[in-house]
Amino acid sequence: MELRQIRAFVVVADEASFTRAAARLSLVQSAVSAAVRNLERHLGVELFERTTHHVHLTQAGRLFLPEARRTLAAAQEAQHVIEQMRGGLRGEVRLGVIQTPRHIVAQPALLISTFRATHPGVTVSVQAAGSVEHAEDLRRKRLDIAFVILPPEATPGLDMYVLTSEKLQLLCHAGHPLAGRDQVGLGELVDQPFVDTPATWGNRLATDAAFARAGLTRKIAYEIGDAAGLASLVRHGLGVAIGPMSFMRPEDEIRAVPLGSDAPSLTLSLAVPAGQAVSAPARALLRTARELSEPAR
């Protein structure tokens, strides 16, 4: 049994496809198929049910998968121990980043530069997407660690490390009729045109869940995947938004109005896959991020 065979099996299981697994491993499909066949021959069982269009784990494959992951993680950890002994931590961390409130640790350049000052032998690759995409990529082992803003019900299969949490507020332009209020209820906003982020973003998930809990619906007039663009639309009076004031800059001239007891919260966390060893470089990056977050708490 060879590590390359185990790695091929795990990637095929993650991708549910020999073709996608081959692309991810930068190999030809025949090499991946041969590696899995040789592993099955060595184990004396079939690990996958193969049809023309689908690849599914057999019962033996489902039992073997967690052990295969642990084997790969242990091999990687052993390599990191030797590398540290030879002069420092080495390897790669795949980091997922999102557009976030202006929280110090959520600035990828600051986090990476601080981390690299201590661990120059580790490469950090960055992937930008929404929280839902990052959660799925973590589960499928396409990322090692990611910033996410997700409600608890959207985090199965992940271990979460909370960095900061903030109550969301109504954001409107200075001349809006609600701008001078001390507090606004969600029920007063159902007829307002909303500016919001895409459906897979944490801010949107939290807001949608709050309206659903209240049995209310709202009208989203503009959907935009950019905090600065959202602020611009609100500033020009094209709609209101619900979000953290830390999304905004002083020059945006936007008013924040508390939403009261039914206000949703935005919780920024770092997530890693649950139930398996986190690589030494990823653990070190997580430690750096949590240290950076301390002054902001």
Side-chain angles (χ1 to χ4, degrees):
M1 189 185 309
E2 300 177 8
L3 284 177
R4 64 180 183 85
Q5 296 171 345
I6 297 174
R7 185 172 295 108
F9 160 72
V10 169
V11 176
V12 172
D14 287 344
E15 298 293 338
S17 164
F18 281 89
T19 301
R20 290 193 295 272
R24 181 170 151 190
L25 292 167
S26 299
L27 296 171
V28 296
Q29 183 174 333
S30 58
V32 176
S33 298
V36 173
R37 280 198 304 272
N38 289 335
L39 179 61
E40 290 176 321
R41 189 175 299 115
H42 176 86
L43 295 172
V45 295
E46 288 191 353
L47 299 171
F48 293 105
E49 295 176 359
R50 303 161 173 86
T51 66
T52 305
H53 302 291
H54 299 286
V55 176
H56 299 291
L57 286 167
T58 62
Q59 182 179 3
R62 288 192 293 273
L63 291 172
F64 183 61
L65 182 58
E67 301 303 324
R69 293 196 196 283
R70 279 190 279 270
T71 298
L72 293 178
Q76 186 180 55
E77 189 65 17
Q79 182 179 352
H80 289 151
V81 169
I82 297 301
E83 288 170 347
Q84 283 183 281
M85 183 186 70
R86 288 176 174 172
L89 192 62
R90 298 185 181 277
E92 179 185 12
V93 181
R94 299 165 297 173
L95 171 67
V97 300
I98 55 178
Q99 286 205 37
T100 65
R102 289 178 170 80
H103 183 257
I104 187 170
V105 74
Q107 301 173 29
L110 175 62
L111 172 59
I112 293 169
S113 63
T114 302
F115 175 75
R116 293 269 294 165
T118 309
H119 303 288
V122 178
T123 299
V124 181
S125 60
V126 173
Q127 177 177 313
S131 294
V132 171
E133 289 91 345
H134 284 335
E136 182 60 21
D137 283 341
L138 286 166
R139 295 184 188 104
R140 296 176 73 85
K141 316 305 179 293
R142 293 170 177 162
L143 288 175
D144 300 303
I145 186 170
F147 290 104
V148 297
I149 298 174
L150 290 171
E153 61 270 18
T155 61
L158 303 177
D159 286 334
M160 309 292 289
Y161 298 86
V162 174
L163 300 175
T164 186
S165 186
E166 181 178 356
K167 284 286 188 181
L168 303 189
Q169 303 180 73
L170 173 69
L171 305 176
C172 58
H173 72 92
H176 193 281
L178 297 174
R181 292 276 296 276
D182 293 330
Q183 186 172 296
V184 175
L186 294 182
E188 300 177 79
L189 302 176
V190 293
D191 294 325
Q192 294 287 333
F194 269 84
V195 182
D196 213 330
T197 54
T200 57
W201 285 35
N203 188 82
R204 172 72 173 273
L205 290 170
T207 304
D208 285 348
F211 274 88
R213 285 193 299 270
L216 302 170
T217 58
R218 60 187 177 128
K219 175 185 177 183
I220 298 175
Y222 303 97
E223 184 177 284
I224 185 166
D226 175 72
L230 183 147
S232 179
L233 290 168
V234 173
R235 184 176 67 250
H236 285 87
L238 295 174
V240 301
I242 288 179
M245 193 57 193
S246 54
F247 263 147
M248 306 296 110
R249 302 166 300 179
E251 59 267 31
D252 288 332
E253 298 181 355
I254 289 172
R255 299 292 184 266
V257 183
L259 289 171
S261 60
D262 53 0
S265 294
L266 194 74
T267 300
L268 173 65
S269 304
L270 274 168
V272 298
Q276 59 185 286
V278 178
S279 72
R283 285 202 310 272
L285 183 62
L286 175 61
R287 186 164 53 249
T288 300
R290 298 183 78 183
E291 289 170 355
L292 276 176
S293 75
E294 288 297 329
R297 288 187 175 183

